[in-house]
Amino acid sequence: MKDHESEEMYLETILVLKGERPAVRSIDIADKLGYAKSSVSRGVSLLQDRGYIKVADDGFIDFTEAGAKKAETIYERHNVLTKLFVALGADTELAEANACRIEHVIDDGIFDLIKKYVDNKR
């Protein structure tokens, strides 16, 4: 895993997969992201080394407290930004794609302003 964005994509993907199925394995992440199994294996290992996930002997992945918090923060950014872009008139697919890129680089203060704005528009 070479950068911050990649780390966040893995965490977000694990969170989404955990919402879709009872257990998540590396192969599920590879399938969801379209990545090679070897790349995902390395990424999972790095997330484990950084204390974001635990991998059981049977290969099932679970978050640590820190990992769950970080994944939920990333996913919240994705959802709020998507809602903003859709509200501005973007189609959902385009909104999702742009939110996915922006969620990794947006400043916390700016995101908080956007979140307040979106929450007030509901």
Side-chain angles (χ1 to χ4, degrees):
M1 188 174 324
K2 62 183 178 194
D3 62 17
H4 167 79
E5 183 176 340
S6 180
E7 176 181 285
E8 290 183 353
M9 284 299 298
Y10 277 88
L11 291 170
E12 183 178 16
T13 300
I14 294 167
L15 182 67
V16 168
L17 287 169
K18 284 183 147 307
E20 296 174 355
R21 61 191 72 198
V24 176
R25 299 166 299 146
S26 292
I27 188 69
D28 302 319
I29 299 167
D31 289 345
K32 183 83 168 178
L33 293 174
Y35 293 173
K37 293 175 195 171
S38 59
S39 296
V40 172
S41 179
R42 171 113 173 95
V44 165
S45 179
L46 287 170
L47 289 176
Q48 196 171 10
D49 291 347
R50 292 178 182 157
Y52 291 129
I53 61 170
K54 300 174 279 186
V55 180
D57 292 338
D58 58 8
F60 292 114
I61 297 169
D62 216 348
F63 284 118
T64 62
E65 188 176 328
K69 183 177 180 182
K70 186 164 181 143
E72 288 164 4
T73 297
I74 298 158
Y75 195 57
E76 176 188 37
R77 286 177 175 225
H78 181 94
N79 289 328
V80 168
L81 290 167
T82 298
K83 287 176 188 171
L84 173 67
F85 299 147
V86 168
L88 292 172
D91 79 19
T92 303
E93 189 175 316
L94 185 60
E96 289 266 349
N98 279 273
C100 194
R101 289 193 302 264
I102 294 168
E103 70 196 26
H104 305 291
V105 296
I106 192 168
D107 175 81
D108 290 341
I110 295 297
F111 175 74
D112 289 342
L113 291 171
I114 291 170
K115 184 175 182 227
K116 284 180 193 172
Y117 177 81
V118 169
D119 289 345
N120 287 333
K121 288 295 183 184
R122 286 188 206 169

